[in-house]
Amino acid sequence: MAKKKNDEKPIQYRCAGEMPPLPVSQGTMRVNKTASWRSIRPRIIKEKCKSCMICWKVCPEPCIAPTDPPEIDYDFCKGCGICIEECPFDAIVSEEEGK
Amino acid sequence: MCAEQAVKKKPVRLTLPEQEVMSPGHLACQGCGATLAMRYVLKSLGSKTIVSIPACCWAVIDGPFPYSAAGIPVYHCAFETAASTASGISRALSALGKTGITTLAWAGDGGTFDIGLQALSGAAERGENLIYIVYDNEAYMNTGIQRSSSTPHGAWTTTTPVKHYKKGPKKNIMEIMVAHHIPYAATANIAFPEDLVRKVDKAKAMRGTRFIHLYAPCPTGWKHAPSLTVKIARLATESNVFPLYEVENGVYKINRIVKNPKPVKDYLLMQGRFRHLTEDEVNRIQNEVNGQWERIVKLEQAFGNAPES
């Protein structure tokens, strides 16, 4: 988690018109890169992949982009392995992290 | 960011809405079922939603204050007040004349089956305009796996340790909610996201209190590998432990009839919390599950078709 700098002043709104449209803007937890939680790294074998998008569907993060073939965002993947377990074509393999 | 990249490449056929309201970087455990649940629900409801979350896993998953992973306004309320807070939000929106905003109450099984039951019952009786979704992980997982009235027979928790495992069945929350004569009540499972999204879409189009009982496994509390979350959730429906059905204005409909149900033993063996069970206990659970399934089939036969008017 990125810490706030001490010299950073809190934002003050003078009128309602200056406030952002949503009280909490979308996706601010993206500062928290959860990649360090991972002990295994899923890797998609492009030759075996049929782009059925089941891995995109079951990713609880979500960090798999629905492209052809799907792309895993390794900044956020926690390595739970659901995509490896659910892939019907065995196109995702697990590799030990750091090797 | 993901969506922008998707546009550039060759489009693929998706069975779920592509919009992603929830963002990565949240604080859920690896393989969390509750996160999948929120992701699918927000895919259907969209960003024009206000959610009230009591003390539950999602109060932590969302992140500390200036940050949020849900992507929608979140109201963190007291443990017992998920439904009453959502009632207030819903009434305030209607007083301000704002339409097209869905009010969602999102609570765990402790905040629904035990602590939040009176608030939920009150809101359902008043007919407040909100969607109430309970994600059921069958214990108080956030505080350290204590037993709740949603814990099934035979399960280990920290307050029902191995020698004194929970004896007695799970509370039937669906029957309680159907008894309130609410317009829509349904069970859903994270392993069947298309069915879940269809149910949330259906609930979104209605008015009044709508209730969805959503089954979400918890690898930490159920003692299984994080990669098996979806597999176990699917097995729960395929073995009739958690049947999928919906009740629309008192009319029952089973959404998934399993022709050859798998033995409950397969489901129990995958989880560490059932490791201590003897053969007799497994048979007993199998009988309980069969009885529960027969009851739902009978209910569908009795109250299945819409009464002719």
Side-chain angles (χ1 to χ4, degrees), chain B residues 10 40 88 106 111 126 135 172 176 180 193 201 217 252 289 303:
Chain B
K10 188 178 145 192
Y40 295 143
W106 179 269
R126 294 191 302 273
Y135 66 96
N172 192 339
I176 295 172
H180 284 80
D201 280 344
Y252 280 75
V289 167
F303 308 110

Side-chain angles (χ1 to χ4, degrees), chain A residues 1-4 22-34 37-39 51-53 55-69 71 73 76 78-82 85-86, chain B residues 2 5-6 9-10 12-18 20-32 35-36 39-40 43 62-64 66-69 71 73 193-194 226-231 234:
Chain A
M1 177 80 49
K3 277 184 183 171
K4 252 192 171 179
L22 278 172
V24 175
S25 53
Q26 208 168 329
T28 44
M29 271 304 273
R30 278 181 187 275
V31 295
N32 184 27
K33 309 280 186 212
T34 47
W37 298 28
R38 188 170 65 222
S39 59
S51 294
C52 63
M53 292 302 137
C55 52
W56 167 79
K57 207 162 77 174
V58 297
C59 181
E61 204 50 41
C63 66
I64 300 182
T67 53
D68 186 20
E71 266 175 26
D73 188 345
F76 295 107
K78 285 174 186 162
C80 65
I82 294 182
E85 185 70 35
E86 291 300 310
Chain B
C2 292
Q5 287 170 1
K9 296 203 173 181
K10 188 178 145 192
V12 283
R13 214 177 119 257
L14 303 172
T15 51
L16 294 174
E18 197 183 341
E20 210 74 76
V21 181
M22 201 184 89
S23 73
H26 53 69
L27 302 175
C29 308
Q30 294 159 319
C32 177
T35 333
L36 267 175
R39 186 183 161 216
Y40 295 143
K43 268 178 182 298
D62 189 42
Y67 306 103
S68 174
E194 288 84 5
S227 59
L228 298 176
T229 301
V230 177
K231 203 174 180 183
R234 189 180 300 122

Side-chain angles (χ1 to χ4, degrees), chain B residues 6-286:
Chain B
V7 176
K8 286 176 198 165
K9 296 203 173 181
K10 188 178 145 192
V12 283
R13 214 177 119 257
L14 303 172
T15 51
L16 294 174
E18 197 183 341
Q19 65 167 342
E20 210 74 76
V21 181
M22 201 184 89
S23 73
H26 53 69
L27 302 175
C29 308
Q30 294 159 319
C32 177
T35 333
L36 267 175
M38 182 63 112
R39 186 183 161 216
Y40 295 143
V41 168
L42 289 185
K43 268 178 182 298
S44 165
L45 291 179
S47 53
K48 273 203 154 190
T49 309
I50 298 178
V51 62
S52 75
I53 298 184
C56 63
C57 281
W58 249 98
V60 178
I61 295 170
D62 189 42
F65 163 61
Y67 306 103
S68 174
I72 52 168
V74 177
Y75 190 115
H76 287 283
C77 57
F79 211 152
E80 63 276 23
T81 61
S84 41
T85 306
S87 306
I89 294 168
S90 164
R91 292 215 173 187
L93 286 174
S94 84
L96 290 169
K98 293 195 174 179
T99 51
I101 300 173
T102 317
T103 315
L104 174 68
W106 179 269
D109 57 286
T112 305
F113 287 62
D114 303 338
I115 298 173
L117 189 60
Q118 53 86 16
L120 172 60
S121 176
E125 192 271 330
R126 294 191 302 273
E128 300 287 354
N129 188 22
L130 57 93
I131 301 178
Y132 194 104
I133 297 182
V134 45
Y135 66 96
D136 182 8
N137 44 29
E138 303 194 328
Y140 290 84
M141 295 309 180
N142 185 29
T143 49
I145 324 166
Q146 285 89 9
R147 141 204 214 285
S148 78
S149 55
S150 166
T151 309
H153 176 89
W156 164 92
T157 62
T158 49
T159 45
T160 52
V162 171
K163 260 190 180 178
H164 313 281
Y165 58 82
K166 184 180 168 178
K167 294 169 184 79
K170 178 174 171 167
K171 192 187 270 183
N172 192 339
I173 194 81
M174 278 294 283
E175 289 298 305
I176 295 172
M177 292 319 292
V178 170
H180 284 80
H181 304 291
I182 55 174
Y184 190 67
T187 61
N189 190 331
I190 57 147
F192 301 95
E194 288 84 5
D195 177 71
L196 167 60
V197 167
R198 184 186 64 79
K199 280 170 177 166
V200 179
D201 280 344
K202 202 171 181 180
K204 193 187 174 186
M206 289 177 163
R207 280 188 71 81
T209 309
R210 293 140 286 171
F211 179 82
I212 293 175
H213 181 190
L214 182 46
Y215 185 86
C218 169
T220 312
W222 295 14
K223 307 286 173 207
H224 62 76
S227 59
L228 298 176
T229 301
V230 177
K231 203 174 180 183
I232 286 178
R234 189 180 300 122
L235 207 54
T237 294
E238 285 178 351
S239 61
N240 285 338
V241 172
F242 191 85
L244 296 181
Y245 63 105
E246 61 188 344
V247 187
E248 201 179 337
N249 294 316
V251 178
Y252 280 75
K253 190 180 181 227
I254 299 175
N255 300 116
R256 193 178 185 87
I257 296 167
V258 189
K259 278 184 183 163
N260 299 310
K262 288 183 179 162
V264 174
K265 200 177 176 183
D266 292 2
Y267 166 76
L268 300 177
L269 275 178
M270 286 177 89
Q271 300 167 49
R273 61 174 179 158
F274 292 116
R275 192 179 292 155
H276 54 273
L277 291 183
T278 56
E279 200 68 34
D280 290 349
E281 284 290 343
V282 172
N283 290 337
R284 199 188 142 176
I285 293 172
Q286 178 74 60

